[in-house]
Each structure stands twice: as C-alpha cells, then as structure tokens.
C-alpha cells in the first residue's frame, strides 16, 4: 500500500535526525538539503538508509537509484513513492 | 677574519655608545655602552672558568636585559649558547643540557633549585655570580668526556622531533650573519628603529629581533612571556612602546585583531610587520591591515634548520574575495630554494646556501637523512614542506609532508581542510588531525568559535561540501574553547592527537 508523501518525508527525516544527526536542529535539515553531496551521508550511512527504506517501506533500490536518487528528502520521497507505485 | 655575531654589538657600541640597546619588559633600559660592559664582564667570568672555544653554555631564564647579555657573553667567550624554554618541564630541559653537554648554564636565580635538582649531585658544580648582573647566575654542570664543538658554532636551537626527543639544530655565526645581512638589504633598518622581541629566545624568530636590531644600532624592546600571549595588553604595549618593526608568528596577530581592542590605540610608528612560522589566515590578515594601515607586510618562511629562506611582500590591498593564504614567495638572496617535483606539480621544498644549518647535534644519521643530494653532489636541506609554484614564480605552501594522508586513494593535505574551515565566518581557530586505527582513517577537526557557539552540523558539513571534495570531509568536529599552543605559540598538534586518542 502506498504511503502518502508527508508521512514518507517525516519518517525518513526522523530516521536521519536520530541516526546521523543526534542533537542537531531539525529545522536545519530541509527538504532540499543535499545529503550525499553535502557530506551528511557517507557511503556507510547511505547503505544504512537503503536498509531502512527497505524495512520500513518495502522498497528495494538498485545501484543507480542509490547513487542518484537519495540526495535530498524530496528525492528520497519521490523514489519511495515511485517504487511503491509499481509494486 | 671570520665574522661573528657578537662583533655586531662591538660595532654598534663604537658608533652609538649612548643609544638605547635594549628596553626591558619593565621599562628599564640599557645603552649600547653599558650593555657592552655587562657582556664583557660575563665573557671574562666564563673564560676565567675555562669556558671558551668548543664549549656550550645553556640559557635557562625568562626574557630580561641580563639574559640577552648572557647570550652575547657566551659568544664573546668563544662558546655557543643553548637557550631553552624556561617554562618547559625541567626533564625536557635537563635532557637538552645533557644532550649537548653544556659546561654551565646561565640560570635565573628562582629557577636554580629546579635546575640543580634535575642532575645527580656529583654533576652539579659551583654557582657563580657577577655583582652588577642581578637575577641570573652561572651554574656549572659537569659531564665526563665533554665533546668539543666547532669553533664557528653560535647557538643550538632544539626543535621538537616528531618522534621522541628534541634535536639540536646547529647554527654557525656565518649561518646567522648571512640571514642578518639579507634582512639589512631587504628591510633597511635604521638606528631609530624599535624592534619587538616577541618570540622567545629558544625560537628562531628571535634571531632577527636580536641581531638585526643590534647590527643597526636600533633598540630592542623585550616583551615578557605573559604579555606576549595576551592580545589586549600586547596591543597596548606595541602602541605605548612605539614599536616600528614587528615580528611574530601570525596566531598572536590573529588574536589581537579579535580581542586586542586595537582601534583604541595609535600605531603611527609601526613601519614593518613581519610574520613567519605558520599560515596567516587571510581574514585576520585583512583585519590587521585595516588597523595597521601604513606598514609594509612580509610573509617570511623557513624552518629553524635554514632560518628564513623565502619571503613575499603582501600587497597594499587584499581583495575582498580573496580567501587563499598568500604565497611564501621567492628565495631570499642568501640561499637557493627549489621544488623537488613530485606528483601533480607539487613537491618538497629544498634549500641550500649560507644560512642552512650544519646538521643536528650529534645525530649524524638523522642529519644525513635531512639532505637531498643532487646530480652534482650538492646537499639541499629537505624542509618536509609541500609546495607548488604559481604563475608568478612564487612558492605556495601547501602543508607539511607528514600531514599528508590518503583516503580512498586520494591524497589529502590536512592544512587544506583547515584553510577551508577558516573561511567560515564563525570559526575563530581550527586544527585538523588524522588518525588511523586498523587502516580506518578518521579525520577530526578541532574548532573554536566566537562565544562558544556550537555550529549546526548540517550547515557545517554543507559548508565543507561547498569548499572541499567530499573525501576531505572531516568525520568529527570537536569544539574547544581555544586550541592548545606550543611554547612558541603554534598550534600544538601533538596535544590534539592525544585528545583524539
């Protein structure tokens, strides 16, 4: 079942804040903050995020999607929705 | 006849007997005539104890007119002086005095018991005094089978070795004088000049202060070790004492621009600002130039082993958009500098010529390793510093070779990460260290910010990503109230690495 946009976004943001940015101000992490190119997610944390998306939303991402579609909260939300739509 | 440093004093004494040679920290002063008299007495006392050519004498005292007299007295007697940081642990200082087998130490009265306690009783000899030279005295120290040093040796400066014990850089009279003469040609000192003596005497910056000022019959203004580290009192001191030639490491200048209340003082007299020893972040250099507007600024570069070997005059106006530090510049005329070309157009800076040391004291293997021998058999001192050459032919300092790490196959110069973080408006000081545990490299940035403000990690990482490739992103950001400093005022990386571990 598809999850609505805001729920995905909030869930992912909550995960990123707890897992990688404890103690930081959530307002600093916007929908367009670059996560990979901004150095917030390194390769290990990217793979942790991929694992989280799989367990939480039952979404499997291929290498290209991991490399190119996880850079912002908006990107992540879009790819999760797109993958759920075809599931 | 070979030239010697102490003759500079003799010449100044002939020409300017009544001019003020030194102003002490507490405003007492001494004329060249009177100072030369004190030096002669110290030299006579040393010679009467059989101390002369081929010997070393330690200096274990804070800054004072009498400390300077002791340095000149030692050289006049024919020996070499070995200054140490009087505030360093006594074990380290005792190591230095033992390593170079001093015959005696000129020690401050209040440090005498500490010095004596550091040696076995049978090595501690007599204490000798000169009536009108108060505050310091001569402590004899006995070593079996003392080694004789070269008659041309003027002083030994101990620098911290990256591994273990400090090593003694041997500098001859001719080494030092070649540098002093270059300073004369480049900076045109005058008898009316008032030189700051900010650097401690165990730091090679002191060579310029002491000998260039004496050579020209100028006045040396001693700054005590406490004032030297405090921006506001120091900023007032420079104005009150009407310093004309300033020379220090950049870090204290950066501190003064931030905390010195400099705008309340008058710096009309200042004509020359020289800095060396580390990179001067451009944002602070720019602030300083706005306050000390009329002075000329020079970035001087050189390790203790060569003294200053390249220089670059900072242009009158620093463009608003400029962030990268200024070049270390071109070779000084008394030496040759070259880049040993390595990967990607950068390479190690090597130096040969008149001011290059005669090796490390009693470390022949370490000394041999520190030179590069070229095709023609000439020996070049390897600075361990990585440079590039820009289109104007100036050397650009990239960082220490030993501060280069590799991550994911990329070469990372930790200094480059520091330079990027220094551009951040809220960051006052930054030092980056790398540590490798089980092949896993961790890069930590130590940061101090204005008003103990902790920066948003998200924004800070974003800032790094805007200025650095991602493989240079620090893994950790640690906040400190201020970075730890060595006794010479440079960032203490060893201390930071300990905190890291």
């Amino acid at each position: 079942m598809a999850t609505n946009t805001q729920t995905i976004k909030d869930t992912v943001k909550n995960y990123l804040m707890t897992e990688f940015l404890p103690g930081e101000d959530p307002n600093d992490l916007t929908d367009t903050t670059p996560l990979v190119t901004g150095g917030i997610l390194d390769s290990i944390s990217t793979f942790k995020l991929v694992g989280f998306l799989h367990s939480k939303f039952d979404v499997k991402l291929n290498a290209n999607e991991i490399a190119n579609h996880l850079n912002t909260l908006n990107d992540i939300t879009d790819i999760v929705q797109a993958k759920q739509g075809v599931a | 006849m070979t030239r010697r440093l102490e003759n500079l004093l003799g010449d100044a004494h002939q020409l300017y007997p009544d001019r003020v040679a030194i102003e002490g920290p507490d405003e007492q002063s001494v004329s060249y005539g009177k100072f030369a008299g004190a030096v002669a007495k110290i030299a006579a006392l040393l010679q009467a104890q059989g101390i002369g050519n081929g010997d070393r004498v330690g200096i274990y005292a804070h800054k004072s007119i009498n400390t300077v007299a002791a340095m000149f007295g030692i050289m006049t007697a024919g020996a070499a002086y070995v200054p140490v940081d009087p505030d360093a642990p006594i074990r380290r200082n005792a190591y230095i005095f033992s390593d170079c087998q001093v015959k005696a130490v000129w020690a401050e009265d209040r440090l005498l018991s500490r010095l004596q306690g550091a040696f076995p009783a049978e090595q501690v000899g007599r204490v000798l005094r000169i009536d009108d030279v108060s505050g310091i005295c001569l402590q004899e120290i006995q070593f079996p089978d003392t080694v004789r040093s070269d008659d041309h040796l003027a002083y030994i400066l101990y620098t911290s070795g990256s591994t273990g014990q400090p090593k003694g850089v041997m500098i001859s009279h001719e080494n030092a004088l070649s540098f002093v003469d270059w300073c004369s040609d480049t900076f045109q000192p005058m008898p009316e000049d008032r030189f700051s003596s900010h650097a401690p005497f165990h730091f090679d910056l002191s060579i310029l202060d002491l000998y260039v000022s004496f050579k020209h019959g100028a006045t040396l203004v001693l700054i005590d070790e406490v004032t030297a580290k405090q921006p506001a009192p120091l900023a007032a001191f420079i104005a009150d004492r009407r310093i004309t030639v300033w020379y220090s490491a950049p870090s204290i200048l950066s501190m003064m621009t931030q905390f010195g209340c400099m705008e309340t003082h008058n710096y009309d007299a200042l004509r020359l600002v020289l800095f060396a020893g580390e990179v001067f972040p451009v944002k602070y250099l720019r602030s300083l130039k706005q306050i000390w507007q009329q002075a000329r600024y020079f970035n001087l570069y050189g390790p203790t082993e060569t003294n200053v070997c390249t220089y670059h005059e900072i242009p009158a106006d620093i463009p608003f958009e400029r962030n990268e530090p200024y070049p270390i510049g071109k070779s000084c005329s008394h030496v040759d500098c070259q880049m040993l070309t390595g990967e990607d157009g950068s390479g190690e800076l090597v130096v040969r010529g008149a001011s290059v040391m005669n090796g490390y004291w009693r470390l022949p293997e370490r000394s041999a390793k520190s030179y590069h021998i070229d095709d023609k058999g000439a020996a070049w001192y390897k600075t361990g510093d990585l440079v590039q050459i820009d289109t104007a032919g100036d050397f650009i300092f990239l960082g220490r070779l030993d501060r280069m790490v590799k991550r994911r196959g990329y070469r990372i110069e930790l200094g480059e990460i520091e330079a990027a973080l220094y551009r951040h408006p809220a960051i006052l000081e930054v030092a980056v260290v790398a540590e490798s545990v089980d092949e896993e490299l961790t890069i930590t940035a130590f940061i101090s910010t204005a008003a103990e403000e902790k920066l948003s990690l998200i924004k800070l990482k974003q800032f790094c990503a805007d200025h650095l490739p991602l493989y240079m992103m620090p893994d950790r950001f640690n906040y400190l109230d201020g970075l730890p400093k060595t006794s010479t005022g440079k960032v203490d990386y060893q201390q930071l690495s300990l905190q890291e571990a």
Side-chain angles (χ1 to χ4, degrees):
Chain A
M1 195 193 105
T3 322
N4 84 46
T5 310
Q6 198 55 47
T7 312
I8 298 173
K9 206 171 271 178
D10 291 345
T11 312
V12 174
K13 178 166 179 170
N14 187 40
Y15 171 77
L16 293 174
M17 290 308 301
T18 330
E19 192 70 18
F20 307 118
L21 299 163
E24 297 297 318
D25 182 354
N27 295 321
D28 291 340
L29 183 64
T30 67
D31 293 352
T32 55
T33 301
L35 301 170
V36 179
T37 59
I40 293 166
L41 295 181
D42 62 13
S43 52
I44 294 170
S45 38
T46 304
F47 288 120
K48 284 186 181 168
L49 172 66
V50 170
F52 173 78
L53 297 177
H54 183 204
S55 63
K56 196 79 190 175
F57 303 112
D58 196 23
V59 163
K60 280 191 185 171
L61 301 176
N62 64 34
N64 173 50
E65 289 160 345
I66 293 170
N68 299 313
H69 297 275
L70 299 179
N71 199 38
T72 63
L73 272 173
N74 280 341
D75 291 349
I76 297 170
T77 309
D78 289 349
I79 191 82
V80 168
Q81 280 197 315
K83 298 290 277 193
Q84 284 187 330
V86 299
Chain B
M1 191 189 123
T2 49
R3 300 167 66 214
R4 292 180 60 93
L5 284 167
E6 69 272 16
N7 295 342
L8 300 176
L9 174 62
D11 296 346
H13 173 209
Q14 296 294 321
L15 285 168
Y16 316 103
D18 300 323
R19 289 199 72 89
V20 173
I22 314 179
E23 268 183 28
D26 40 9
E27 288 191 64
Q28 88 271 54
S29 65
V30 64
S31 67
Y32 274 99
K34 205 166 162 240
F35 183 68
V39 168
K41 276 186 189 170
I42 291 174
L45 176 79
L46 289 164
Q47 283 171 330
Q49 306 313 310
I51 295 171
N53 288 342
D55 293 325
R56 278 82 47 210
V57 178
I59 301 273
Y60 183 43
H62 291 88
K63 275 193 176 172
S64 72
I65 292 172
N66 287 339
T67 310
V68 184
M71 294 160 73
F72 273 92
I74 292 164
M75 293 189 292
T76 305
Y81 69 90
V82 185
V84 299
D85 175 5
D87 299 317
I90 183 62
R91 283 172 62 117
R92 185 179 196 273
N93 288 335
Y95 170 82
I96 291 171
F97 293 145
S98 302
D99 183 56
C100 69
Q101 299 181 320
V102 293
K103 271 222 170 149
V105 176
W106 276 103
E108 215 168 295
D109 287 344
R110 60 194 165 117
L111 298 173
L112 204 54
S113 60
R114 204 189 295 171
L115 178 68
Q116 291 166 342
F119 291 94
E122 65 273 17
Q123 277 184 255
V124 179
R126 288 171 302 169
V127 176
L128 300 155
R129 290 174 191 279
I130 294 179
D131 290 342
D132 52 355
V133 177
S134 63
I136 65 173
C137 56
L138 188 71
Q139 168 68 61
E140 289 191 322
I141 313 260
Q142 280 134 20
F143 293 96
D145 309 323
T146 312
V147 176
R148 193 188 153 81
S149 50
D150 186 323
D151 288 355
H152 302 114
L153 188 64
Y155 52 88
I156 304 178
L157 299 182
Y158 276 76
T159 63
S160 70
S162 48
T163 51
Q165 301 291 6
K167 47 191 197 297
V169 176
M170 297 192 286
I171 301 290
S172 70
H173 287 269
E174 194 48 53
N175 286 155
L177 283 163
S178 69
F179 166 61
V180 169
D181 290 345
W182 174 80
C183 291
S184 297
D185 293 343
T186 310
F187 305 126
Q188 306 287 318
M190 302 170 283
E192 295 72 27
D193 269 322
R194 294 170 60 78
F195 280 73
S196 64
S197 165
H198 179 265
F201 295 140
H202 63 279
F203 193 14
D204 68 340
L205 268 67
S206 67
I207 304 307
L208 187 155
D209 309 336
L210 285 163
Y211 302 110
V212 179
S213 128
F214 285 121
K215 177 178 172 186
H216 295 275
T219 298
L220 181 70
V221 182
L222 301 181
I223 304 169
D224 72 82
E225 290 83 349
V226 176
T227 306
K229 288 175 187 155
Q230 296 185 14
L234 185 59
F237 184 96
I238 297 166
D240 293 348
R241 297 294 190 94
R242 302 192 59 74
I243 300 293
T244 66
V245 181
W246 175 264
Y247 187 28
S248 74
S251 47
I252 186 65
L253 294 170
S254 298
M255 297 275 282
M256 279 197 288
T257 62
Q258 298 166 76
F259 310 109
C261 310
M262 296 175 83
E263 57 291 341
T264 59
H265 302 296
N266 175 350
Y267 294 103
D268 284 355
L270 195 66
R271 70 175 189 89
L272 205 51
V273 177
L274 311 175
F275 52 89
E278 52 185 3
V279 175
F280 201 156
V282 169
K283 65 178 170 186
Y284 299 127
L285 177 57
R286 186 184 285 115
S287 314
L288 186 66
K289 288 193 99 232
Q290 281 159 7
I291 303 163
W292 291 351
Q293 286 179 1
Q294 78 290 359
R296 291 174 70 190
Y297 288 69
F298 287 87
N299 183 15
L300 307 184
Y301 160 87
T304 305
E305 287 83 345
T306 66
N307 213 321
V308 174
C309 57
T310 73
Y311 72 116
H312 181 78
E313 181 163 9
I314 308 297
D317 291 306
I318 300 180
F320 175 73
E321 67 282 1
R322 185 180 179 110
N323 281 313
E324 69 271 28
Y326 278 93
I328 54 173
K330 296 186 167 70
S331 287
C332 302
S333 57
H334 64 294
V335 290
D336 279 328
C337 296
Q338 249 188 25
M339 182 178 83
L340 294 182
T341 310
E343 299 170 45
D344 54 44
S346 65
E348 183 172 11
L349 186 69
V350 297
V351 190
R352 69 167 188 178
S355 69
V356 178
M357 68 160 182
N358 300 333
Y360 299 106
W361 173 258
R362 293 213 302 172
L363 291 173
E365 285 173 21
R366 183 69 189 75
S367 301
K369 270 192 214 158
S370 63
Y371 297 96
H372 162 76
I373 309 296
D374 69 13
D375 308 344
K376 296 178 186 118
W380 299 73
Y381 173 72
K382 295 193 283 185
T383 61
D385 287 329
L386 190 70
V387 296
Q388 264 177 351
I389 301 176
D390 69 10
T391 49
D394 286 315
F395 290 109
I396 302 192
F397 174 82
L398 300 175
R400 291 288 301 165
L401 276 172
D402 57 13
R403 293 197 69 218
M404 178 116 69
V405 294
K406 274 202 167 187
R407 181 191 254 179
R408 290 182 243 152
Y410 291 105
R411 269 175 29 169
I412 300 176
E413 176 46 57
L414 299 176
E416 193 179 341
I417 304 177
E418 289 168 0
L421 283 166
Y422 260 116
R423 297 186 189 181
H424 194 293
I427 291 179
L428 298 183
E429 285 188 297
V430 57
V432 174
V433 302
E435 204 199 16
S436 205
V437 178
D438 301 332
E439 305 293 308
E440 187 76 34
L441 185 78
T442 302
I443 296 177
T444 305
F446 289 90
I447 290 172
S448 77
T449 57
E452 295 168 28
E453 157 197 12
K454 198 167 174 254
L455 305 171
S456 151
L457 182 65
I458 296 165
K459 289 182 179 164
L460 188 56
K461 286 199 161 187
Q462 180 64 57
F463 181 85
C464 288
D466 289 344
H467 293 89
L468 291 169
L470 279 182
Y471 61 84
M472 288 198 183
M473 176 74 71
D475 301 292
R476 281 190 266 174
F477 296 90
N478 284 357
Y479 292 85
L480 298 175
D481 286 344
L483 298 182
K485 301 284 168 28
T486 65
S487 66
T488 53
K490 296 189 200 180
V491 171
D492 189 343
Y493 284 98
Q494 271 177 330
Q495 181 74 25
L496 287 172
S497 296
L498 287 176
Q499 294 200 13
E500 184 52 18

